[in-house]
Amino acid sequence: MNMKNSEGYPDPTAGMALANVARFEKGTKRYRPLVYIASPFTGDTEYNISRARGYCRFTVSCGCIPLAPHLLYPQFMDDSDPDDRELGLFFALILLGKCEEVWVFGERVSEGMSREIAKAKKRGLPVRYFSSRCDEVAQ
């Protein structure tokens, strides 16, 4: 930490204050696990996208980093095209392998979600289930 002011003269008070701020900020940064978000997409996509965004906000509030590929890939891939949909799911399953847990949201498990859950279980990843109101439920 630089203990001099902008003119080059010693300024230990400001230097110590900045050092204390840096130490505090470093201490408050904590580990955040990467969590894969599985929720319905097809059907009422506008509603489902809105719900998925809420699930991601909930995940952040739990101290985790959400990964929701079904919010990303439809931005540039056509979910109604079977080839694009299959390729998007392939990409998503690759990303799933980078996560520490899978969180499944909603009362309905779609075909794509069931494939994600099966892949997670095959890889030995913890799978947690939540209602559409973000209450954890037993499965």
Side-chain angles (χ1 to χ4, degrees):
M1 183 59 59
N2 189 358
M3 297 293 205
K4 295 184 178 183
N5 65 18
S6 62
E7 296 175 348
Y9 294 102
D11 191 0
T13 303
M16 290 303 292
L18 291 172
N20 287 337
V21 168
R23 239 187 329 275
F24 174 78
E25 285 180 349
K26 186 177 181 183
T28 59
K29 292 181 183 167
R30 61 187 168 98
Y31 177 73
R32 290 179 173 261
L34 187 61
V35 172
Y36 189 94
I37 305 302
S39 67
F41 180 78
T42 56
D44 185 351
T45 55
E46 191 172 316
Y47 175 77
N48 291 337
I49 288 169
S50 173
R51 297 300 304 171
R53 287 178 179 153
Y55 302 146
C56 288
R57 281 190 296 274
F58 168 74
T59 305
V60 170
S61 75
C62 291
C64 302
I65 302 168
L67 178 61
H70 59 303
L71 291 180
L72 171 63
Y73 294 125
Q75 300 293 317
F76 58 90
M77 299 177 83
D78 182 1
D79 191 59
S80 64
D81 177 328
D83 292 334
D84 269 10
R85 180 169 173 71
E86 192 60 34
L87 187 58
L89 188 54
F90 173 76
F91 293 163
L93 293 176
I94 296 296
L95 293 173
L96 185 144
K98 308 299 181 194
C99 297
E100 292 184 33
E101 291 185 0
V102 173
W103 291 8
V104 180
F105 288 91
E107 287 69 36
R108 177 177 68 90
V109 174
S110 68
E111 182 267 330
M113 291 169 65
S114 65
R115 288 176 59 186
E116 293 164 336
I117 294 165
K119 181 64 84 171
K121 288 180 177 178
K122 182 177 179 182
R123 290 181 175 166
L125 294 173
V127 178
R128 295 173 63 186
Y129 295 86
F130 296 84
S131 72
S132 59
R133 294 179 177 255
C134 299
D135 297 317
E136 191 160 9
V137 295
Q139 190 64 25

